[in-house]
Amino acid sequence: MSARAALWNPTVFRPEGQQDWHVVKRLFLRQCIQWDNDYKWSKHVIREMIIHHANYEIGRAEMSTAAKLLHSSGAFNANWTTACS
């Protein structure tokens, strides 16, 4: 599991905390160019970063929209009070 987190954002183990993945993406590409890394592997890692973060951001947006709809309809409040009674 920690290997996946490191693939998605290699700064996961920094003592100062994680950096934004957009910054990490640029730094990663600079290092790949500097060290003449195989372009196929570099492309794979960047692709995994983009897919993970795109899905994460879309998922958060969908959850937020669903929560707003439930709250505005009053269905959540009615179901919650029934379940707690």
Side-chain angles (χ1 to χ4, degrees):
M1 289 298 172
S2 62
R4 287 184 184 169
L7 177 66
W8 297 328
N9 189 341
T11 62
V12 71
F13 300 114
R14 282 183 55 198
E16 300 86 20
Q18 292 186 29
Q19 284 185 321
D20 182 49
W21 77 278
H22 295 289
V23 173
V24 172
K25 182 173 52 173
R26 283 192 291 272
L27 292 172
F28 177 76
L29 287 174
R30 285 184 190 149
Q31 290 292 319
C32 290
I33 292 167
Q34 180 181 358
W35 294 99
D36 196 27
N37 195 24
D38 181 37
Y39 75 92
K40 293 177 187 173
W41 179 248
S42 303
K43 180 182 171 183
H44 167 74
V45 172
I46 292 295
R47 181 181 167 271
E48 289 296 318
M49 281 185 197
I50 291 170
I51 288 172
H52 169 73
H53 289 285
N55 289 337
Y56 178 72
E57 289 169 1
I58 288 170
R60 284 181 43 183
E62 287 175 356
M63 286 188 289
S64 176
T65 303
K68 288 176 186 173
L69 287 172
L70 282 173
H71 182 67
S72 66
S73 69
F76 180 73
N77 293 336
N79 291 336
W80 181 257
T81 54
T82 306
C84 293
S85 300

